[in-house]
Amino acid sequence: MYIYLLAALHYLRGFSMKNTSNIKRTLIGTAAVVISITTLSSCKDSKTNSNDVSLDTDQGKVLNIYCENLEFQETFAMYYIPHADRKVLEDVEMNWILPESEDETHLSVLNKSIENQNDLPTDEKIDLFIVDMDKVEKLVNSDVAVPVSELGITEDDLKNQYDYTKQVFTNQRGELIGVTWEATPGLYFYRVDIAEAVLGTSDPDEVQAYISDLDKFTDLAAKMKENGYRILSGYDDMYELFSSNMTAPWVTDGKITIDEKLKQWIDLTKKYTDSGYNNNTSLGDDSWFDDMNKTSNVFGYFFSTWGSNFPLPDATVDEKIRSDGSNAIAGNGLYGQWRACTGPVPYVFGGTGLIACQGTDNQELIKDIMLNLTCNTEAMKAMTENGHCFSNNKEANRQLIDSGYENTFLGGQNHLSLLDATADKISFNGNLSAYDQYLSKKLKSNMMLYFNGSKTYDEALDSFYSDINEIYPAIPHE
């Protein structure tokens, strides 16, 4: 969720990305935001398909929701409340619990509370937690989650979800312990003007032919360099292309092992840096955002589904988009002057999910939330159509594709078919693990010093192993 926070913060003009800590403190300074929902004239009687399973009808009066930031509240208000079953939601308080300080992380707060779950009064127990996809594996094989089947959610309810999202939330016993409302397949977003100048075309199909595999992408990087452009902005812009396609888990045969795909990322990024194919930025820093505006020489970015919804529209325009969208038009910076194509390999980047906690006394309400946010075609079609996310619902997305959907930021392109096809191709093949988030973070931060010439490869690798030894001293490395 880090990149989502960066995007949201960047959208609040007037704040420097170098000073996000102060903004974040403002956003999460209150530990719990309590919203009492007693009258819900907008709610409908539940109409989401599901089998009837007998759950505890003596539901709690407080739903404790653990979040990393305020983002999920918007999703909840916009796409759950209008479809909620008033019978299970009425008279229930929503207690949103966030980290109290920058020194705490979402998982640290959650873990502390889980330890005391059995001893807490009923209405203080954790009911639902919101977890980033790259942190799910730290919880998926623990005993803290309620399998969704125990909530009464069936395979038929979930039939429209993309398979890879279910892989993320499936434990070693084959039980699905969480669900997500969003799919996050990635594409390559590029500038029309630079494509026309260098390639003589900006048509997505024709541009895709130039970057349909990594060798062709590298050839185009050289061509862009010859013409004064850069094919990417930063060191870590390609990381997810490789991490999404790893051939083995981080810990293999009892050892921490850098997968061959990640070694390819290191080699290719070093080549791009030394050859001048990128601008030596880092994902999320000011110069990385600056490379999205019209004065930049960067051809494109690898973005997940949120790319054309959040960072690009804000960073690429001359005048911030007004709330009524009246200046979301061609001529406002590069608005309408971006397109998307599939890119060299299918990949995903980001995502957030819902997990019910053992001990919750609000199973019926959590079931209703999960069904409406992750299985309700009407609600999820609105998510995609409104640009809130690319929903985790094949039927909803394909209805929009067939309807002639147009994305104005992308010059009217209907890129949903590309996202849909990419999401269908993703498979983690059992390579996810609880170590992914920390080890990936440390690999990127240490290799950055190799890319920029501050350290040799061996020095950067030694630093990486030193970092991870502090956290996982009992696990040897290759």
Side-chain angles (χ1 to χ4, degrees), residues 406-426:
E406 294 182 349
N407 185 297
T408 58
F409 178 73
L410 297 177
Q413 182 183 1
N414 184 347
H415 69 310
L416 300 183
S417 59
L418 302 180
L419 294 171
D420 178 63
T422 299
D424 258 346
K425 293 176 183 176
I426 301 297

Side-chain angles (χ1 to χ4, degrees), residues 259-287:
D259 189 76
E260 288 302 316
K261 291 291 184 181
L262 299 183
K263 291 177 181 178
Q264 289 178 29
W265 166 72
I266 294 170
D267 291 342
L268 198 59
T269 301
K270 182 61 173 174
K271 175 178 179 177
Y272 278 33
T273 303
D274 291 348
S275 301
Y277 297 165
N278 64 40
N279 272 344
N280 304 326
T281 68
S282 180
L283 185 148
D285 66 24
D286 282 357
S287 54

Side-chain angles (χ1 to χ4, degrees), residues 108-137:
S108 69
V109 174
L110 184 61
N111 289 335
K112 289 177 186 176
S113 298
I114 288 173
E115 290 175 3
N116 302 317
Q117 180 84 334
N118 292 335
D119 301 324
L120 292 172
T122 301
D123 280 337
E124 293 181 19
K125 292 180 184 291
I126 304 169
D127 295 298
L128 182 67
F129 41 91
I130 316 305
V131 185
D132 291 354
M133 295 293 234
D134 63 354
K135 299 172 186 172
V136 167
E137 292 302 312

Side-chain angles (χ1 to χ4, degrees), residues 99-205:
E100 292 183 333
S101 72
E102 293 178 20
D103 294 329
E104 289 188 299
T105 66
H106 175 43
L107 283 182
S108 69
V109 174
L110 184 61
N111 289 335
K112 289 177 186 176
S113 298
I114 288 173
E115 290 175 3
N116 302 317
Q117 180 84 334
N118 292 335
D119 301 324
L120 292 172
T122 301
D123 280 337
E124 293 181 19
K125 292 180 184 291
I126 304 169
D127 295 298
L128 182 67
F129 41 91
I130 316 305
V131 185
D132 291 354
M133 295 293 234
D134 63 354
K135 299 172 186 172
V136 167
E137 292 302 312
K138 295 181 179 180
L139 300 168
V140 72
N141 289 307
S142 68
D143 295 323
V144 304
V146 179
V148 300
S149 61
E150 293 184 15
L151 299 173
I153 297 174
T154 70
E155 290 185 12
D156 187 62
D157 292 324
L158 303 165
K159 65 181 180 296
N160 283 322
Q161 296 188 358
Y162 293 99
D163 287 342
Y164 91 85
T165 66
K166 290 185 275 191
Q167 291 175 16
V168 173
F169 288 99
T170 299
N171 64 23
Q172 292 173 349
R173 296 185 294 275
E175 299 169 321
L176 188 70
I177 58 86
V179 287
T180 179
W181 63 92
E182 60 183 343
T184 56
L187 303 175
Y188 183 69
F189 293 83
Y190 63 90
R191 283 174 53 171
V192 167
D193 57 339
I194 297 177
E196 293 285 354
V198 177
L199 304 178
T201 180
S202 58
D203 179 82
D205 290 336

Side-chain angles (χ1 to χ4, degrees), residues 16-242:
S16 167
M17 289 308 299
K18 294 177 181 176
N19 297 314
T20 56
S21 58
N22 292 331
I23 309 170
K24 184 177 179 183
R25 184 160 42 243
T26 301
L27 289 173
I28 66 176
T30 302
V33 179
V34 179
I35 303 175
S36 179
I37 303 179
T38 55
T39 57
L40 294 163
S41 58
S42 63
C43 292
K44 304 175 182 177
D45 290 329
S46 180
K47 61 183 179 181
T48 308
N49 293 329
S50 180
N51 63 333
D52 293 326
V53 173
S54 178
L55 298 175
D56 182 6
T57 57
D58 186 18
Q59 297 290 295
K61 296 303 181 184
V62 178
L63 186 75
N64 292 303
I65 306 173
Y66 276 64
C67 305
E68 186 164 358
N69 56 43
L70 303 176
E71 179 185 311
F72 179 68
Q73 290 190 31
E74 178 185 355
T75 303
F76 186 89
M78 292 180 65
Y79 302 104
Y80 171 62
I81 293 299
H83 301 275
D85 181 349
R86 74 184 70 183
K87 295 189 298 293
V88 297
L89 185 58
E90 195 170 41
D91 296 325
V92 178
E93 290 184 349
M94 302 296 122
N95 186 28
W96 304 89
I97 303 171
L98 288 77
E100 292 183 333
S101 72
E102 293 178 20
D103 294 329
E104 289 188 299
T105 66
H106 175 43
L107 283 182
S108 69
V109 174
L110 184 61
N111 289 335
K112 289 177 186 176
S113 298
I114 288 173
E115 290 175 3
N116 302 317
Q117 180 84 334
N118 292 335
D119 301 324
L120 292 172
T122 301
D123 280 337
E124 293 181 19
K125 292 180 184 291
I126 304 169
D127 295 298
L128 182 67
F129 41 91
I130 316 305
V131 185
D132 291 354
M133 295 293 234
D134 63 354
K135 299 172 186 172
V136 167
E137 292 302 312
K138 295 181 179 180
L139 300 168
V140 72
N141 289 307
S142 68
D143 295 323
V144 304
V146 179
V148 300
S149 61
E150 293 184 15
L151 299 173
I153 297 174
T154 70
E155 290 185 12
D156 187 62
D157 292 324
L158 303 165
K159 65 181 180 296
N160 283 322
Q161 296 188 358
Y162 293 99
D163 287 342
Y164 91 85
T165 66
K166 290 185 275 191
Q167 291 175 16
V168 173
F169 288 99
T170 299
N171 64 23
Q172 292 173 349
R173 296 185 294 275
E175 299 169 321
L176 188 70
I177 58 86
V179 287
T180 179
W181 63 92
E182 60 183 343
T184 56
L187 303 175
Y188 183 69
F189 293 83
Y190 63 90
R191 283 174 53 171
V192 167
D193 57 339
I194 297 177
E196 293 285 354
V198 177
L199 304 178
T201 180
S202 58
D203 179 82
D205 290 336
E206 294 179 13
V207 172
Q208 173 62 19
Y210 283 95
I211 62 170
S212 58
D213 60 43
L214 287 168
D215 288 338
K216 290 181 179 179
F217 189 82
T218 300
D219 289 342
L220 183 58
K223 187 178 184 69
M224 286 289 165
K225 169 70 182 308
E226 291 172 1
N227 286 272
Y229 300 106
R230 305 290 181 266
I231 201 161
L232 294 171
S233 176
Y235 302 124
D236 36 12
D237 282 7
M238 285 195 294
Y239 184 80
E240 278 69 27
L241 276 69
F242 297 89

Side-chain angles (χ1 to χ4, degrees), residues 285-332:
D285 66 24
D286 282 357
S287 54
W288 183 78
F289 280 112
D290 289 343
D291 274 345
M292 299 177 198
N293 66 46
K294 65 184 181 183
T295 63
S296 166
N297 64 350
V298 170
F299 180 45
Y301 284 79
F302 286 109
F303 270 135
S304 180
T305 47
W306 40 264
S308 60
N309 296 339
F310 300 111
L312 270 176
D314 184 47
T316 199
V317 295
D318 295 331
E319 180 184 52
K320 180 181 175 181
I321 302 299
R322 303 184 193 112
S323 58
D324 64 0
S326 58
N327 63 338
I329 56 175
N332 183 3

